[in-house]
Structures are given as structure tokens and as C-alpha cells.
């Protein structure tokens, strides 16, 4: 393991501890701010497919945001873990039955259509001002993004976090794919001139 990996592991522990330290009321308040800001500031065409996620542990609760995006015409999907290596994105229709999908997550069952998202709302442990992110360490999103790229697709990557998860610098490696933007309770911030347009 390189020092970069050790640094990432330490940053992950520290930032997740800060997120965990937020009270339930603080997380709810910040999640509602994320929903209001995201619904107003995220740009997409009606009919665009957007992958959200349901909260685990102390993550932001994106259900209010996803409701707002659905009202604006987005087609929603959720990540579903197929095996230890693979996630797919299944359509999250209003009436979709949700089941346990591994690693503490829930998502639509196998009757729901698998979709390729135009925009991925990506959970993370930490991010920096250049759009580099630290995930949870399993690499599910890295592999999913790589698979979309091999299909010739280039989804917009929007990290979802609380402000307390920002760090001065993430030790990035050559294979790391940077986020286009991050959405926190302070608003939507684009990196390095990237936009969703």
C-alpha cells in the first residue's frame, strides 16, 4: 500500500468521523438545504436520467432532492449492488418496490429497468477544491463510471457531501476520475470550469 493510500484512508476516517458527529437534526437541516439548492441549481434537460442514492449511516438524505428533481422531469435511478464488484442503476419509479441490496443499502428490485445515468449523484467520504474525491474504499462507483466510459458515455459526476467533508487536498492517483461538481448545504460548486451544460 502506498503512502497515498494510507493518506486517503486517514482522511476517510477523519471526515467520516466529522460527518458522524453531526446530530440527526443537523443532518436533516443540511439535507433539506442540499435539496433546495440542488433542485434550484442543478441543470438538466427534462427526461434526463439522474442516479441518486438512499442514505446509509450519516449520509445526506437525498429523498427530498430526488422528489424535487422528479417534479422537474428527471427520470430517477438508484445504485444496486449486484456483487462485491458491481453496481448497476435501476429505475426508481414512484411505485418501485425497494429491497435490501447489500452493504446496508436499499434499492429497486430486479423488476426495475437498468438505466445508464446522465448525471450521477455520488456519495463520498471527502472532496477537495479540484473535484478529487475519496469514496468509501470499495471502488463501486469507480468501476461503474469506468463501465459507462467504455460504453462511450460521459455522465456528469456531482459529489454529495456536507461542508465538513471538504479537505485541502486529496492525494489523487492517475486513474482517479474527478467530479464535475459538488453539492453541499452551501450550494452547487463546479470545479475547473466544468459544467453540466
Amino acid at each position: 500500500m502506498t503512502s497515498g493510500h494510507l493518506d486517503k484512508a486517514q482522511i476517510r476516517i477523519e471526515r467520516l468521523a466529522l460527518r458522524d458527529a453531526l446530530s440527526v437534526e443537523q443532518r436533516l437541516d443540511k439535507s433539506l438545504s442540499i435539496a433546495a439548492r440542488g433542485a434550484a441549481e442543478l441543470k438538466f434537460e427534462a427526461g434526463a436520467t439522474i442516479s441518486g442514492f438512499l442514505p446509509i449511516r450519516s449520509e445526506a438524505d437525498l429523498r427530498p432532492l430526488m422528489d424535487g428533481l422528479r417534479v422537474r422531469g428527471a427520470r430517477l435511478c438508484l445504485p444496486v449492488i449486484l456483487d462485491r464488484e458491481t453496481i448497476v442503476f435501476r429505475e426508481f419509479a414512484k411505485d418501485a418496490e425497494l429491497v435490501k441490496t447489500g452493504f446496508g443499502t436499499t434499492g429497486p428490485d430486479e423488476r426495475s429497468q437498468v438505466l445508464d445515468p446522465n448525471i450521477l449523484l455520488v456519495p463520498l467520504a471527502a472532496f477537495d477544491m479540484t473535484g478529487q474525491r475519496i469514496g468509501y474504499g470499495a471502488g463501486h462507483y469507480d468501476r461503474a463510471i469506468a463501465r459507462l466510459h467504455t460504453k462511450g458515455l460521459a455522465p456528469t459526476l456531482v459529489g454529495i457531501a456536507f461542508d465538513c467533508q471538504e479537505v485541502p487536498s486529496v492525494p489523487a492517483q492517475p486513474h482517479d476520475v474527478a467530479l464535475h461538481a459538488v453539492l453541499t448545504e452551501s450550494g452547487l460548486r463546479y470545479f475547473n470550469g466544468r459544467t453540466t451544460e
Side-chain angles (χ1 to χ4, degrees):
M1 186 178 281
T2 67
S3 61
H5 283 114
L6 290 172
D7 291 342
K8 279 188 174 183
Q10 188 59 40
I11 292 169
R12 181 182 297 116
I13 289 166
E14 291 171 0
R15 291 300 138 168
L16 290 179
L18 285 174
R19 191 181 77 184
D20 291 344
L22 296 170
S23 70
V24 172
E25 294 79 15
Q26 288 173 314
R27 285 199 303 272
L28 175 59
D29 191 47
K30 291 174 187 298
S31 293
L32 291 174
S33 292
I34 287 170
R37 298 229 182 222
E41 298 172 17
L42 193 62
K43 295 176 176 61
F44 61 90
E45 298 289 327
T49 300
I50 301 177
S51 173
F53 56 88
L54 298 178
I56 60 172
R57 300 185 295 267
S58 58
E59 287 177 339
D61 187 344
L62 290 191
R63 289 173 290 191
L65 173 59
M66 289 189 290
D67 288 344
L69 298 177
R70 191 189 308 272
V71 167
R72 286 184 50 205
R75 186 177 187 188
L76 299 176
C77 56
L78 295 173
V80 174
I81 299 169
L82 293 184
D83 55 48
R84 296 186 69 79
E85 299 292 314
T86 310
I87 59 173
V88 295
F89 302 95
R90 288 186 184 153
E91 185 167 17
F92 182 35
K94 276 189 173 185
D95 59 349
E97 184 174 336
L98 299 178
V99 297
K100 293 187 183 306
T101 57
F103 292 91
T105 65
T106 55
D109 66 18
E110 66 278 352
R111 292 172 292 180
S112 297
Q113 183 179 354
V114 173
L115 302 175
D116 291 328
N118 305 107
I119 299 174
L120 264 73
L121 303 180
V122 183
L124 51 83
F127 68 95
D128 70 15
M129 66 182 101
T130 68
Q132 293 298 328
R133 67 180 259 282
I134 297 175
Y136 297 145
H140 286 116
Y141 273 87
D142 295 327
R143 287 187 295 276
I145 292 164
R147 276 194 307 281
L148 291 168
H149 287 172
T150 62
K151 294 169 87 171
L153 303 173
T156 299
L157 308 176
V158 180
I160 301 294
F162 297 125
D163 288 336
C164 66
Q165 294 173 253
E166 184 172 3
V167 296
S169 178
V170 166
Q173 275 126 10
H175 65 273
D176 289 336
V177 177
L179 299 166
H180 294 88
V182 69
L183 176 60
T184 72
E185 68 268 27
S186 295
L188 183 65
R189 183 181 352 155
Y190 290 97
F191 301 111
N192 303 325
R194 300 179 182 104
T195 68
T196 57
E197 298 178 304

